[in-house]
Every structure is written in structure tokens, then in C-alpha cells.
Amino acid sequence: MVKTIRDAFWQFKTNLEITSLQETTTSTRQQNVRSAVENDFVVLDSFLTGSYRRNTMIVPLSAADIDVFIVLDPKYYAVSNQHALLSAVMRALTREYPNTPKIKPDGQAVTISFADFEVDVVPGFYRTGGGFLIPDSNMARWIPTDPKKHVELWSASNKVHSGSLVPLIKMLKCWNRNSGDLFRSFHLEVLVRNVLTGVTITDYPSGARWVFDKMRAQVWSKVADPAGYSDDVAAYLQKAQADKMIAALDKAFHRAIVAETNAQQGFVKAAIDGWRGIFGDYFPPYN
């Protein structure tokens, strides 16, 4: 039963977590995807990456993308073969999964739409000097990145916040989904991590309110990739979209203040109802 603000946020945190069974499924699927690609390519390494490995993925799994990174032998690299590489990977996966209705290249990956969740297969190469190169077929270029470095950075920041950063990121991702997925996932995560640098998360309600407040000034700014490979992870934004983001953050900030005020005055149900209005149905009701 949820009777306190603390209990409500603790249950909210639990409600957003991927189950151990789902973790087993994703691990098995990674190995199967690697085996499929190995039929046509020399594979040097493969690993799960993205929000799954940063521990910031939220339920439901059916609405999530699991990223499988496949490191290929450099003999497959060419300056202008981004689209050809993705097409070749797609053909290898189609032979392995002939009954899967939807397998298609999608910019930087090949997306497999399974019945339970989607898998983005990202082919790449080791990069001289560190990190990896992945294809961008839309822009006909190779993008430097380092998803393993992202995992290290997120883990270190989470330790600084005594384990509270990752759950708070998940809560903000739930808010983002409840608000119409205004932010791309990685952009949102970087912003949350940035605005909490140099401060301490004392509890989830004040942490959420702080993020809603401080992110408003960060939306329409260049946001560097923390791993050092991109000068702006927000380059996709158009002004109208950014304006919607700022408006949604402003609305959430003011609703958070009301919820905190209700809690301070002893109106626990009103406070919980307020937070539920911000985060949606994964935030538990007062009972």
C-alpha cells in the first residue's frame, strides 16, 4: 500500500525496472543475432549497448529498442559503403529470421521488429585512437562513438549520487514518454546528467523538480557527447520542437512545486495525485 511520498517514489522506481526474465531474453537474442551476422561476416566482438547497458531502459520492453553492437573485421570498411553495409547485414539477418515480418535498415542500424520488442543491430569498426565507427547511411558518413565509455561515465555519475541518478533518469524518461516522447532518449539522459553535476540528489521529488527547472535553460543549447565524439547530441532539434520541450518542462516544474507544497502541508494524497499527473500510470496511486 502507498501511503507516503517516499513509498510512492520507491514503488515508481520498481515499476520501471526490467525483469530478470527480460534480461535473460535480451542476452540470448544478442547471441543469436551475433551468430546470424557471423554467417556472412567476420565478427570481432558483440555486446549489448544503449540504454539497456547504461541501466536506464524502462518498461514496457515492447516499447523499447535493444541495441546490439557488432564489431566487424576492418576488411568490410570502406569510405562510402554505409548503405551497402547495412543492406548486407539486413540480408544476413533475414536469412536467420525468415518469419520476422519487419527487418529494415534504419539510418545507423538494422532494426528487427520481433513480437516482444525491437532490436537495433549496429555494425561498426574499431576506431584508431579509441572508440568505434558506425555507419550513417542518411548522411553517407561514419560516426565516431564509444558506447562502452558512456556506460563507464553513467556508472561513475550514479556512484557520485549514491545510486540515485539512474533511477531518476528512468523517471524522467517515463515523464518524457507520458509527454509524447519530445526528447530523444540519449539527449534526455545527457541533459539530466548535466544538470545534476555538482549537486546532490537528496530525494526523488526534489531531484525531479530540480531537473525540470534546470533543463529548461539547457534545451536550446549545444549538448556535447560526454564521451567526446560529438559536439551536439541535440543537433536534431528544430525550434518548434524545442519550444514544446521547454513548455512541457515548465509545466512539469510548476506541477512539481505544487506537489511538494502539498506534501509539506500534509496533503499526501493530493501530492501523490500531483506526481501521478506528471509521470503517468506507472506512478502508483494513493491507497
Side-chain angles (χ1 to χ4, degrees), residues 115-263:
D116 46 359
F117 58 87
E118 290 189 346
V119 172
D120 286 337
V121 183
V122 184
F125 303 94
Y126 289 120
R127 175 179 175 273
T128 302
F132 304 87
L133 291 173
I134 62 173
D136 180 356
S137 62
N138 294 328
M139 300 295 291
R141 61 178 180 168
W142 295 97
I143 301 174
T145 187
D146 193 346
K148 291 188 175 182
K149 183 65 174 179
H150 294 148
V151 173
E152 294 173 6
L153 291 170
W154 265 237
S155 178
S157 294
N158 196 43
K159 288 180 180 177
V160 169
H161 289 284
S162 302
S164 294
L165 176 63
V166 163
L168 190 56
I169 287 175
K170 290 182 178 181
M171 293 173 189
L172 267 293
K173 292 178 83 169
C174 186
W175 163 80
N176 184 47
R177 183 181 291 169
N178 194 50
S179 302
D181 286 316
L182 296 171
F183 290 84
R184 289 186 181 178
S185 177
F186 187 65
H187 180 205
L188 178 66
E189 290 190 34
V190 174
L191 283 177
V192 174
R193 180 175 176 269
N194 285 355
V195 300
L196 288 168
T197 299
V199 299
T200 301
I201 301 171
T202 55
D203 55 61
Y204 293 128
S206 64
R209 183 249 306 148
W210 174 274
V211 170
F212 290 136
D213 180 20
K214 302 304 178 184
M215 274 180 55
R216 292 179 296 176
Q218 299 293 320
V219 168
W220 201 229
S221 304
K222 282 190 173 184
V223 184
D225 180 344
Y229 290 100
S230 169
D231 63 350
D232 189 11
V233 301
Y236 68 96
L237 283 184
Q238 301 295 321
K239 186 178 186 303
Q241 186 177 6
D243 288 344
K244 289 180 181 178
M245 292 173 172
I246 294 168
L249 287 166
D250 190 65
K251 179 180 179 181
F253 169 61
H254 286 99
R255 294 179 77 176
I257 290 177
V258 172
E260 285 191 299
T261 300
N262 280 327

